[in-house]
Amino acid sequence: MELGSGLTDFADSAALLAELDGVVAVDTAMAHLAGALGTSCRLLLAGEHVDWRWGVDGAATPWYQPLTLERRRRGEEWEDAIDRLAN
């Protein structure tokens, strides 16, 4: 079910996140909002050229405790990185 088109502001997004057990996201406002609200989030990151705030390695971030950083490995396709989330 697609819900994104019904979200008009951060209050709508926060209300949706409050109903979820967790979210998988890329480095967008939704990931930051999930982290700020304490919603569990698996954040997909490229293996190289990652924004400074996520550091260069590791799965934890000092910014948001409920975020787990999922880094795409060198030479890996996004599908492979996403498959790891199911394990």
Side-chain angles (χ1 to χ4, degrees), residues 8 15 17 19 26 47 59 71 87:
T8 59
L17 288 172
E19 298 299 318
V26 294
R71 299 173 187 275
N87 297 324

Side-chain angles (χ1 to χ4, degrees), residues 13-72:
S13 299
L16 174 62
L17 288 172
E19 298 299 318
L20 300 176
D21 293 329
V23 65
V24 176
V26 294
D27 189 4
T28 63
M30 190 63 83
H32 291 274
L33 185 57
L37 294 171
T39 301
S40 176
C41 180
R42 309 275 295 268
L43 180 63
L44 293 169
L45 296 172
E48 301 172 333
H49 311 295
V50 176
D51 190 286
W52 65 269
R53 76 186 119 210
W54 306 124
V56 295
D57 61 9
T61 173
W63 305 110
Y64 308 113
Q65 190 173 18
L67 262 66
T68 300
L69 307 179
E70 300 290 344
R71 299 173 187 275
R72 187 174 71 169

